[in-house]
């Protein structure tokens, strides 16, 4: 019996190839989109969950409260985790990570490694980073011990066994020994290191006694709690712990610390403090909802397209019943056909996934999946989903088709069921609500990205080339040598550039009341040419100048936000006021206009600037003539090789560097756009189904109207109006819904675009335009039909 059902089903599919292709493609595209989004959602939620002890690992974070502000930091000072583990019995172990960029050399091989972490020896006791060689307990125990990732080991040593071999660290060439090789860290990890250096190496390299410096932040600390420990009860013990260990120091410095715990599994998606890498749970929710909607649309299409053929197959059903077929047999026949179509769609979906996964990885900017067959469980779920869709989506048309009365349909008097037509129209409205919402969402996302790219940042980043010398002692010599290169219009040395990191300094600034007010200020170390090169506007006082000898050690420039922080109504009022910062004392000599030195997702913070002599300049900014970039680059590289030959030539353009901050938003926008287009495509197939059904039902009416003299345009208008009403209803429903959702999405941005009514008008216009194309293709075809064809059965 089943064999017979499948044979007849296949014949019907083959008989109506065009209809079957549309139906199968709609389902296949829907299942493919759902599968890819499921991969993305699962991948984002899997960050750091593969560690065996993940449930017991927490990130230690700190709020730093001063008389001026409270800083919600994602880092701690060196002693915090170490002494917490000593004093609080609930803590089983801890590890601290300090990211860095190191020059590493082996013979003639030299790399400026950016994925470097100084780490405690307990790293491999907390995290599951399997060692291919070396001991987890001792690999990072001794000074100048280095653990390499598998990729880094191949880069430096090829096929040789690297254990016990030497590498030279930094300019000084500290001789370090490779004590371990680990597997490459998975993509779904917050921190991805290629080189791990023992934490005790810091003491030897830089005489950095971090274990006793409670106010020196920079470490990312993780605690391993003992099983069954309540983290909230442990958090309640932190105030007493800090008071006991560093209470007097906090009172004297007027900087008070509050420690918190964040579950390792929640840091990537849920933490508002940031970290090595961050996701956005709202984006995950958005894509999960989009996946469900796309799948829903695909099912709706199947129902609409199947019932659209009800009239064509009415006589078939009537004949079957006349020759003795029971209703249950007819129902099984049509459900079998439905399931078969879904299984064909499943096969096509697998093939589409094979082709699209590399492109999907590219759009996501990360290796979401290495291939569909690496997810056998997902394939099984997709198969079961196809069967379920076939069953559920086939039930309604099967019941409708099997309920036809043989006498009625064989006389050609089958008429549409009002309730059925209302249901199909409702389903199409749902489809276009989703489509219009996605179109509007795409427009708003792109508008926000364009807003961030085109916003006046308060500085000029165009045609600025930045050489990254990583604090090389000869960076100023290099800068002076390059100044004479043809095509170089201006040059400056600094420790920071907009869009990059910068140190935060404990500072005391004389406020409006004449008191020395404490604040933690980001600080830029720059030279005389930095402000003119980036065209940062001065609003009061003066810039750094070689005409004033004290500027190198006793001068500071603040931005407008810093001036407001210390209570001054006018920038000029801050000129001449005293400051104390990192052992340097002097006076405020100038105030600059606020500029965005961080992403537009955060508000402009108070900022201080000091002359950077002896403070690790490192970055050489060059204003380049746009007509001679390639020639200038070759000459600049030649100067680099002459002056600092031990370092690899590193450079970037300031505009591209700043825009890297928006990579995740750009990827979100690209993915959103692509899935929105898929949803619209599938929705058009659903509309095509309803238009086809509706025009088929009205063939006789059309024939009569044409006989009575109606022209084609009149008939097209008549048939199109009902469907355009559906799109307009969808627009009215989708607009307030998407306005609310996208307003919530924009809350993540400190500086955001406005959501204007024209966005929804444009989204509706696009949807109406698409609908008109689909509707027109069917209605014109119906209007052109010879009335004899539609009336000959009368």
């Amino acid at each position: 019996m089943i064999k017979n059902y499948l044979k007849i089903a296949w014949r019907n599919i083959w008989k109506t190839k065009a209809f079957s292709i549309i139906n199968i493609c709609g389902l296949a595209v829907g299942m493919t989109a759902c599968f890819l989004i499921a991969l993305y959602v699962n991948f984002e939620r899997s960050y750091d969950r593969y560690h065996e002890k993940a449930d017991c690992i927490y990130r230690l974070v700190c709020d730093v409260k001063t008389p001026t502000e409270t800083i919600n930091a994602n880092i701690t000072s060196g002693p915090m985790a170490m002494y917490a583990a000593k004093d609080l019995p609930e803590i089983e172990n801890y590890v601290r990570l300090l990211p860095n960029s190191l020059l590493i050399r082996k013979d003639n091989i030299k790399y400026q490694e950016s994925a470097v972490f100084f780490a405690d020896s307990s790293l491999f006791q907390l995290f599951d980073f399997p060692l291919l060689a070396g001991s987890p307990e001792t690999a990072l125990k001794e000074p100048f011990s280095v653990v390499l990732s598998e990729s880094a080991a191949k880069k430096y040593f090829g096929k040789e066994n690297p254990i016990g071999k030497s590498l030279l660290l930094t300019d000084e060439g500290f001789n370090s020994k490779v004590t371990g090789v680990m597997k490459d860290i998975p993509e779904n990890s917050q921190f991805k290191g290629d080189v791990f250096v023992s934490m005790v190496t810091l003491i030897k390299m830089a005489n950095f006694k971090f274990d006793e410096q409670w106010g020196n932040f920079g470490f990312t600390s993780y605690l391993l709690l003992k099983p069954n420990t309540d983290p909230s009860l442990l958090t309640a013990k932190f105030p007493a712990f800090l008071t006991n260990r560093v209470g007097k120091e906090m009172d004297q410095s007027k900087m008070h610390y509050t420690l918190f715990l964040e579950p390792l599994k929640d840091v990537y998606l849920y933490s508002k403090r940031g970290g090595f890498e961050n996701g956005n749970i709202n984006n995950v929710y958005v894509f999960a909802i989009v996946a469900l909607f796309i799948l829903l649309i695909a099912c709706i299409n199947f129902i609409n397209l199947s019932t659209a053929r009800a009239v064509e197959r009415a006589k078939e059903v009537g004949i079957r019943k006349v020759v003795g077929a029971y209703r249950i047999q007819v129902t099984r026949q049509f459900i079998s056909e439905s399931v078969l179509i879904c299984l064909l769609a499943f096969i096509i979906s697998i093939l589409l996934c094979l082709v699209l996964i590399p492109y999907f990885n590219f759009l996501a900017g990360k290796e979401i999946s290495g291939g569909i067959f690496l997810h056998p469980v997902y394939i099984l779920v997709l198969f079961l989903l196809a069967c379920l869709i076939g069953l559920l989506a086939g039930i309604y048309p099967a019941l409708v088709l099997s309920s036809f009365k043989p006498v009625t349909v064989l006389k050609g008097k089958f008429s549409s069921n009002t309730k059925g037509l209302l249901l199909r129209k409702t389903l199409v409205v749902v489809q276009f609500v989703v489509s219009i919402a996605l179109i509007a969402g795409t427009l708003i996302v792109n508008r926000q990205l364009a807003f961030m790219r085109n916003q006046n940042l308060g500085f000029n980043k165009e045609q600025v080339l930045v050489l990254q010398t990583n604090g090389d002692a000869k960076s100023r010599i290099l800068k002076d040598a390059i100044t004479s290169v043809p095509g170089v219009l201006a040059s400056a040395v600094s420790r920071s550039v907009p869009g990059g990191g910068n140190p935060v300094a404990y500072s005391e600034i004389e406020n409006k009341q004449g008191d020395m007010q404490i604040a933690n200020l980001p600080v830029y170390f720059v030279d005389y040419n930095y402000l003119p090169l980036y065209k940062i506007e001065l609003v009061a006082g003066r810039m750094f100048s070689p005409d004033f000898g004290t500027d190198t050690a006793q001068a500071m420039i603040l931005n407008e936000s810093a001036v407001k922080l210390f209570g001054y109504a006018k920038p000029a009022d801050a000129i001449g006021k005293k400051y104390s910062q990192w052992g340097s004392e002097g006076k405020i000599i100038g105030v600059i206009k606020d500029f965005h030195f961080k992403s537009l997702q955060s508000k402009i913070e108070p900022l201080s600037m000091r002359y950077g002599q002896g403070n690790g300049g490192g970055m050489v900014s060059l204003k380049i003539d746009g007509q001679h970039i390639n020639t200038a680059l070759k000459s600049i590289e030649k100067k680099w090789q002459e002056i600092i030959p031990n370092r690899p030539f590193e450079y970037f353009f300031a505009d591209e560097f700043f825009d890297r901050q928006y990579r995740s938003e750009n990827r979100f926008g690209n993915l959103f756009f692509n899935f929105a287009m898929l949803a619209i495509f599938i929705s058009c197939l659903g509309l095509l189904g309803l238009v086809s059904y509706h025009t088929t039902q009205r063939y006789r009416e059309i024939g009569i109207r044409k006989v009575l003299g109606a022209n084609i345009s009149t008939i097209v208008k008549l048939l199109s109006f009902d469907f355009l009403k559906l799109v307009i209803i969808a627009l009215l429903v989708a607009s307030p819904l998407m306005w609310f959702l996208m307003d919530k999405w924009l809350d993540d941005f400190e500086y955001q675009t406005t959501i204007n009514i024209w966005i929804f008008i444009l989204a509706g216009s696009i949807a109406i335009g698409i609908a008109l194309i689909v509707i027109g293709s069917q209605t014109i075809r119906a209007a052109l039909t010879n009335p004899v064809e539609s009336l000959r059965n009368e």
Side-chain angles (χ1 to χ4, degrees):
M1 183 65 71
I2 295 176
K3 181 180 179 181
N4 183 60
Y5 286 154
L6 294 176
K7 183 185 293 184
I8 295 173
W10 176 254
R11 286 175 179 172
N12 280 315
I13 291 171
W14 188 255
K15 181 180 178 182
T16 55
K17 298 184 185 67
F19 165 82
S20 300
I21 289 173
I22 291 175
N23 219 353
I24 291 170
C25 287
L27 279 173
V29 171
M31 287 192 288
T32 301
C34 188
F35 182 84
L36 293 177
I37 293 176
L39 285 180
Y40 174 83
V41 169
N42 185 66
F43 180 84
E44 289 292 287
R45 294 183 67 254
S46 71
Y47 264 72
D48 298 308
R49 292 174 180 262
Y50 57 87
H51 298 291
E52 184 180 348
K53 302 174 183 176
D55 290 330
C56 296
I57 299 175
Y58 291 79
R59 184 172 73 166
L60 186 67
V61 296
C62 183
D63 282 357
V64 183
K65 186 176 182 181
T66 71
T68 302
E69 61 189 337
T70 298
I71 299 173
N72 306 121
N74 58 33
I75 52 178
T76 65
S77 61
M80 288 179 176
M82 182 183 72
Y83 283 109
K86 288 182 179 180
D87 294 358
L88 302 172
E90 294 90 343
I91 301 174
E92 182 177 319
N93 209 337
Y94 71 96
V95 65
R96 296 164 299 182
L97 295 167
L98 184 66
N100 212 314
S101 175
L102 287 181
L103 175 65
I104 300 180
R105 290 175 288 160
K106 177 188 176 292
D107 301 328
N108 294 325
I109 301 174
K110 53 187 178 184
Y111 289 101
Q112 185 69 40
E113 293 284 359
S114 58
V116 177
F117 288 91
F118 289 96
D120 288 310
S121 59
S122 53
L123 175 71
F124 300 107
Q125 278 77 61
L126 269 75
F127 298 111
D128 294 334
F129 299 139
L131 286 179
L132 303 174
S135 167
E137 290 76 19
T138 61
L140 291 174
K141 192 171 184 180
E142 300 297 326
F144 300 107
S145 298
V146 176
V147 174
L148 302 176
S149 68
E150 193 173 4
S151 297
K154 289 179 181 177
K155 182 168 65 176
Y156 287 104
F157 298 98
K159 296 182 179 180
E160 297 180 42
N161 180 8
I163 300 298
K165 301 288 177 61
S166 294
L167 292 172
L168 301 179
L169 305 184
T170 75
D171 282 341
E172 287 78 5
F174 292 106
N175 192 22
S176 303
K177 184 170 67 173
V178 178
T179 54
V181 176
M182 67 180 190
K183 284 187 177 180
D184 289 343
I185 294 179
E187 185 75 30
N188 55 342
S189 176
Q190 293 171 62
F191 56 93
K192 302 174 180 68
D194 284 322
V195 180
F196 287 89
V197 184
S198 60
M199 188 67 77
V200 291
T201 303
L202 273 178
I203 300 174
K204 301 291 184 180
M205 287 175 56
N207 194 27
F208 182 21
K209 298 180 180 179
F210 51 85
D211 284 346
E212 300 300 329
Q213 298 178 359
W214 287 83
N216 198 335
F217 282 63
F219 296 86
T220 299
S221 303
Y222 295 92
L223 303 180
L224 175 63
L225 307 189
K226 292 180 179 178
N228 302 318
T229 296
D230 187 336
S232 61
L233 296 179
L234 175 59
T235 302
K237 292 185 176 183
F238 286 149
F241 156 71
L242 289 170
T243 300
N244 180 55
R245 280 287 181 179
V246 70
K248 291 183 180 180
E249 183 178 325
M250 288 193 295
D251 291 336
Q252 290 173 356
S253 66
K254 297 181 182 179
M255 293 178 63
H256 291 83
Y257 311 130
T258 305
L259 296 175
F260 300 94
L261 294 175
E262 293 183 334
L264 175 67
K265 290 181 176 181
D266 292 349
V267 171
Y268 174 72
L269 283 178
Y270 297 96
S271 177
K272 300 298 183 183
R273 296 172 182 261
F276 299 122
E277 185 179 353
N278 290 98
N280 188 321
I281 188 61
N282 290 329
N283 290 352
V284 174
Y285 289 149
V286 166
F287 281 126
I289 293 171
V290 169
L292 292 176
F293 276 137
I294 288 177
L295 194 59
L296 176 63
I297 289 172
C299 292
I300 290 172
N301 281 356
F302 192 91
I303 294 172
N304 279 346
L305 289 171
S306 296
T307 53
R309 292 191 62 223
V311 176
E312 297 176 22
R313 302 188 64 178
K315 290 183 180 180
E316 174 192 339
V317 173
I319 292 171
R320 284 177 179 274
K321 287 193 170 185
V322 167
V323 297
Y326 293 105
R327 181 176 182 182
I328 186 64
Q329 292 175 316
V330 176
T331 301
R332 287 174 182 170
Q333 173 61 52
F334 286 109
I335 289 178
S336 299
E337 187 172 324
S338 171
V339 172
L340 180 59
I341 289 175
C342 286
L343 291 178
L344 290 173
F346 163 75
I347 294 171
I348 294 174
S349 177
I350 294 294
L351 296 175
L352 286 174
C353 288
L354 279 170
V355 174
L356 293 177
I357 279 179
Y359 176 67
F360 183 65
N361 288 337
F362 172 76
L363 285 179
K366 57 184 75 174
E367 188 76 12
I368 300 293
S369 172
I372 188 171
F373 295 114
L374 297 177
H375 309 279
V377 175
Y378 280 27
I379 295 175
L380 176 61
V381 170
L382 190 64
F383 172 78
L384 296 176
L385 186 63
C387 294
L388 182 63
I389 292 172
L391 180 62
L392 296 179
I395 285 176
Y396 175 74
L399 292 177
V400 171
L401 293 169
S402 64
S403 65
F404 294 165
K405 294 181 180 180
V407 175
T408 302
V409 297
L410 290 176
K411 285 184 177 181
K413 296 181 179 180
F414 170 71
S415 60
S416 173
N417 183 291
T418 305
K419 292 182 179 178
L421 185 59
L422 178 62
L423 173 63
R424 288 187 287 278
K425 287 184 176 181
T426 302
L427 294 178
V428 170
V429 169
V430 171
Q431 288 180 311
F432 271 88
V433 165
V434 175
S435 298
I436 292 171
L438 291 176
I439 293 171
T442 301
L443 293 173
I444 293 170
V445 169
N446 289 332
R447 182 175 166 85
Q448 175 62 23
L449 294 176
F451 173 82
M452 292 190 296
R453 285 191 292 264
N454 300 322
Q455 179 77 354
N456 182 7
L457 300 173
F459 71 96
N460 188 300
K461 56 185 173 64
E462 304 304 321
Q463 296 178 352
V464 176
L465 179 74
V466 182
L467 307 181
Q468 175 59 280
T469 71
N470 291 284
D472 193 283
K474 296 181 179 179
S475 58
R476 293 184 182 277
I477 299 174
L478 177 66
K479 172 249 183 183
D480 293 337
I482 290 175
T483 302
S484 60
V485 169
V488 176
L489 307 178
S491 62
V493 176
S494 64
R495 185 169 178 172
S496 307
V497 295
N502 51 269
V504 176
Y506 176 83
S507 311
E508 293 182 72
I509 309 289
E510 183 181 354
N511 62 20
K512 184 179 180 181
Q513 289 74 34
D515 301 322
M516 296 302 288
Q517 182 174 322
I518 295 171
N520 289 284
L521 293 180
V523 55
Y524 268 37
F525 289 100
V526 303
D527 68 359
Y528 303 122
N529 302 323
Y530 186 86
L531 295 175
L533 187 145
Y534 281 98
K535 295 184 179 179
I536 298 173
E537 185 180 342
L538 186 74
V539 294
R542 62 178 179 83
M543 298 183 182
F544 297 116
S545 171
D547 297 333
F548 297 86
T550 55
D551 280 6
T552 58
Q554 300 175 13
M556 177 182 283
I557 293 176
L558 298 177
N559 69 349
E560 292 174 306
S561 293
V563 169
K564 294 175 184 176
L565 178 67
F566 297 109
Y568 298 108
K570 299 178 181 179
D573 296 340
I575 304 302
K577 302 303 180 182
K578 293 183 291 184
Y579 80 86
S580 174
Q581 185 186 76
W582 272 353
S584 172
E585 295 182 355
K587 293 184 178 181
I588 309 299
I589 65 166
V591 177
I592 55 174
K593 191 176 183 64
D594 279 345
F595 70 96
H596 292 275
F597 57 96
K598 291 184 179 180
S599 162
L600 270 75
Q601 285 180 293
S602 56
K603 65 179 180 180
I604 298 176
E605 299 176 358
L607 176 69
S608 62
M609 283 189 175
R610 287 169 49 197
Y611 185 81
Q613 183 69 41
N615 286 289
M619 292 188 176
V620 180
S621 298
L622 306 171
K623 187 71 173 179
I624 304 293
D625 182 352
Q627 303 297 320
H628 303 91
I629 291 178
N630 292 332
T631 305
L633 262 176
K634 292 178 182 178
S635 301
I636 291 167
E637 184 175 6
K638 185 177 180 181
K639 293 288 185 182
W640 178 292
Q641 298 299 339
E642 292 173 359
I643 297 170
I644 47 176
N646 288 334
R647 289 186 177 275
F649 181 52
E650 276 192 85
Y651 70 92
F652 56 84
F653 287 94
D655 54 350
E656 294 176 357
F657 181 74
F658 191 87
D659 290 344
R660 287 177 195 173
Q661 299 174 103
Y662 307 127
R663 280 182 297 188
S664 62
E665 285 74 26
N666 285 325
R667 291 165 184 163
F668 173 77
N670 288 334
L671 286 172
F672 198 96
F673 173 79
N674 279 272
F675 287 119
M677 293 302 102
L678 286 177
I680 293 165
F681 169 74
I682 300 171
S683 294
C684 287
L685 292 180
L687 184 61
L688 179 65
L690 186 57
V691 173
S692 174
Y693 176 86
H694 194 59
T695 53
T696 301
Q697 288 290 89
R698 301 180 70 174
Y699 266 171
R700 291 183 180 87
E701 177 190 344
I702 293 169
I704 293 171
R705 287 181 179 274
K706 291 189 72 175
V707 168
L708 294 176
N711 57 33
I712 293 175
S713 61
T714 302
I715 294 173
V716 170
K717 289 177 183 178
L718 174 70
L719 296 175
S720 300
F721 181 70
D722 287 342
F723 300 110
L724 290 180
K725 284 194 300 184
L726 301 181
V727 180
I728 293 171
I729 293 170
L731 174 62
L732 296 176
V733 174
S735 297
L737 175 65
M738 209 57 188
W739 192 309
F740 173 78
L741 292 176
M742 294 312 294
D743 186 62
K744 292 293 183 184
W745 181 76
L746 287 172
D747 284 344
D748 287 338
F749 300 88
E750 186 68 29
Y751 301 91
Q752 55 187 245
T753 187
T754 55
I755 302 178
N756 296 322
I757 190 67
W758 68 261
I759 293 175
F760 300 98
I761 294 173
L762 178 58
S765 300
I766 293 172
I768 289 172
I770 294 171
L772 282 174
I773 293 173
V774 175
I775 294 168
S777 66
Q778 292 296 307
T779 55
I780 292 174
R781 178 184 172 188
L784 291 174
T785 303
N786 190 333
V788 174
E789 296 293 328
S790 56
L791 297 175
R792 64 183 177 181
N793 289 328
E794 292 299 318

